[in-house]
Amino acid sequence: MKNILEASFVEEMVEVTSNLYRLGWDERNGGNISYLLDEAEVSEYLDTTNVLRNISMDFDGTALKGKYFIVTGSGKYFKNVAKDPANNLGVLKVAEDGQSVDLLWGYTDGGVPTSELPAHLMSHIARLEVDPENRVVMHCHATHLLAMTFSHELTSKAITRTLWEMCTECMVVFPEGIQVLPWLIPGSNEIGEATAEKMQEARLVLWSFHGVYGAGRTMDETFGLIETAEKAAQVYTYVQAQGGVRQTISDENFIALAKQFGITPNPAFFEAAQVTSR
Ligand code: 13P
Ligand code: ZN
């Protein structure tokens, strides 16, 4: 059996949690990540029949039964993941009953997966339905996006339009836009269900007065998605501090951009009647 600390999936979790901490988006235990793994890659490092503990869930994860994930622990600090991956991360398999997970590695101090497991697993189910290659769900407290939920008109359309306008390439990176949720209780099944519903339409979901969720096929893609939206929110903050928008990207510009990159921006967030790719 190979050393799991050298597994690329552990290294990726260490790297991304360190970056998220360094960027100030995961203070204290803020944020959580889940990463869908192949049985073959897990088997190189762990005996998948050796269950350390069974941890119950109070939602239905049947759609994911038998699937493996590496997940950040509840109450764990992203700041500390690099120096002790085995305590701050866990590898788990969704149990046959779909109502619990089998821990195969990690959470060495007796810990449990993130309190946001409902939002993560429900989002995986939703994303896999629209993109069978989706593997990552990431939550963080990205500072400027979070701030915008206090000061900006709080609709998916209005926030998407502002973010698209703040950096030309935003519309190319998230043509489907960002979906906004009202304030809901973190860790609840309700916020999990609401997030998953929005994840059917978009890979970015903004939780009002809390943070952001991103989903993607790889760790880089998912981090890059959040990073791009957060950068736009930061530019928006500077623009507001500089006295507000005096000129911006026009609908005509957006149409030209969509043509150039062969993308179809979400028509619901677009003013122009026809915005289609080539
Ligand atoms: P956990 O420490 O349980 O992952 O919770 C952190 C968080 O950001 C809740 O939304
Ligand atoms: Zn949070």
Side-chain angles (χ1 to χ4, degrees), residues 92-244:
L92 46 89
K93 182 182 183 180
V94 179
E96 277 307 302
D97 60 5
Q99 315 297 314
S100 64
V101 291
D102 289 333
L103 181 68
L104 303 175
W105 174 81
Y107 309 145
T108 51
D109 65 358
V112 293
T114 173
S115 58
E116 303 290 3
L117 200 62
H120 279 260
L121 295 191
M122 290 180 199
S123 292
H124 278 284
I125 294 169
R127 285 310 303 168
L128 287 168
E129 278 170 17
V130 292
D131 177 10
E133 291 186 53
N134 194 86
R135 293 184 73 184
V136 180
V137 173
M138 188 180 292
H139 165 59
C140 70
H141 300 166
T143 316
H144 299 84
L145 283 168
L146 166 48
M148 274 181 78
T149 65
F150 293 88
S151 62
H152 197 277
E153 183 188 339
L154 201 53
T155 64
S156 303
K157 179 178 177 180
I159 291 191
T160 295
R161 288 290 306 205
T162 294
L163 295 178
W164 280 353
E165 286 174 27
M166 291 301 119
C167 274
T168 291
E169 297 202 348
C170 274
M171 197 185 75
V172 179
V173 175
F174 49 101
E176 77 271 45
I178 186 165
Q179 289 288 328
V180 180
L181 284 182
W183 185 87
L184 292 166
I185 297 170
S188 62
N189 285 352
E190 186 192 9
I191 204 169
E193 281 154 16
T195 306
E197 194 186 320
K198 297 293 188 192
M199 282 275 178
Q200 297 267 4
E201 296 166 56
R203 293 161 299 154
L204 281 169
V205 179
L206 189 56
W207 283 6
S208 291
F209 326 132
H210 185 146
V212 68
Y213 264 73
R217 296 177 174 186
T218 67
M219 198 65 81
D220 266 359
E221 182 194 307
T222 314
F223 179 80
L225 187 63
I226 291 177
E227 194 181 24
T228 304
E230 167 61 13
K231 171 65 183 277
Q234 186 174 7
V235 174
Y236 173 74
T237 307
Y238 289 148
V239 168
Q240 291 301 97
Q242 288 175 6

Side-chain angles (χ1 to χ4, degrees), residues 25-76:
W25 305 341
D26 291 290
E27 72 291 342
R28 199 173 183 276
N29 65 311
N32 24 74
I33 301 169
S34 58
Y35 187 6
L36 176 61
L37 307 173
D38 285 338
E39 179 157 28
E41 63 183 330
V42 176
S43 305
E44 288 180 40
Y45 303 94
L46 297 172
D47 172 1
T48 55
T49 63
N50 184 20
V51 177
L52 306 178
R53 276 187 280 147
N54 179 264
I55 301 165
S56 66
M57 314 188 287
D58 61 0
F59 61 95
D60 185 20
T62 309
L64 296 171
K65 73 176 178 190
K67 298 233 185 272
Y68 296 84
F69 292 89
I70 185 165
V71 183
T72 52
S74 185
K76 304 299 186 192

